[in-house]
Amino acid sequence: QVQLVESGGGLVQPGGSLRLSCVASGATLRTYTTAWFRQAPGKEREFVATIKRYGGATYYADSVKGRFTISRDNAKNTWYLQMDGLKPEDTAVYYCAAGMGLITSSLRIGAQYDHWGQGTQVTVSS
């Protein structure tokens, strides 16, 4: 059974940085496309970033482009989200997700991912 566990969330001041991690068990990470989504209070879940399983191409939401970086370490079965220049509007619960067989046009669609973590809270506030 595939399990994903996030860590690294917390409280940070505007302009600060955090790095989220997601560790996968029960799966070989290199066969999965992996992503980050987030959900703020009262809002729908939204796509943040993804990294494809083969080739490692990355895609970002416009709202985080240039500030966030997604990466992965297949040997450790772990992927990361480095968040710099954090803004109050980045406050949300962040979820990692993994899926197989996704095509480029479906990478930003949460329903296309097979496995999800439990979420980690990121709060950006002074």
Side-chain angles (χ1 to χ4, degrees), residues 2 4 24 26-35 37 50-54 72 79 97-104 106-107 109-116:
V2 178
L4 308 180
T28 302
L29 183 62
R30 61 180 174 81
T31 63
Y32 285 82
T33 288
T34 54
F37 288 76
T50 192
I51 182 167
K52 293 186 72 174
R53 58 179 177 169
Y54 300 130
R72 57 194 278 165
W79 65 102
M100 299 181 71
L102 280 77
I103 59 177
T104 301
S106 66
L107 293 174
I109 303 173
Q112 297 296 316
Y113 290 81
D114 305 305
H115 308 289
W116 292 82

Side-chain angles (χ1 to χ4, degrees), residues 4 20-22 24 29 34-36 71-72 77-80 96-98:
L4 308 180
L20 305 183
S21 300
C22 184
L29 183 62
T34 54
W36 292 94
S71 62
R72 57 194 278 165
N77 252 23
T78 301
W79 65 102
Y80 308 94
C96 59

Side-chain angles (χ1 to χ4, degrees), residues 3-122:
Q3 289 189 324
L4 308 180
V5 179
E6 302 103 335
S7 62
L11 173 64
V12 64
Q13 292 186 344
S17 298
L18 283 175
R19 189 176 81 154
L20 305 183
S21 300
C22 184
V23 180
S25 60
T28 302
L29 183 62
R30 61 180 174 81
T31 63
Y32 285 82
T33 288
T34 54
W36 292 94
F37 288 76
R38 68 186 181 185
Q39 187 167 19
K43 294 187 177 181
E44 294 186 353
R45 181 180 62 193
E46 65 174 357
F47 167 80
V48 175
T50 192
I51 182 167
K52 293 186 72 174
R53 58 179 177 169
Y54 300 130
T58 56
Y59 301 84
Y60 296 93
D62 288 343
S63 59
V64 307
K65 199 173 296 182
R67 300 188 297 122
F68 291 10
T69 303
I70 188 171
S71 62
R72 57 194 278 165
D73 185 336
N74 289 340
K76 295 182 178 179
N77 252 23
T78 301
W79 65 102
Y80 308 94
L81 185 68
Q82 177 66 41
M83 305 186 292
D84 300 316
L86 283 161
K87 304 176 181 180
E89 51 263 43
D90 294 318
T91 295
V93 177
Y94 283 70
Y95 299 90
C96 59
M100 299 181 71
L102 280 77
I103 59 177
T104 301
S105 61
S106 66
L107 293 174
R108 300 168 186 261
I109 303 173
Q112 297 296 316
Y113 290 81
D114 305 305
H115 308 289
W116 292 82
Q118 81 287 354
T120 185
Q121 176 70 45
V122 172

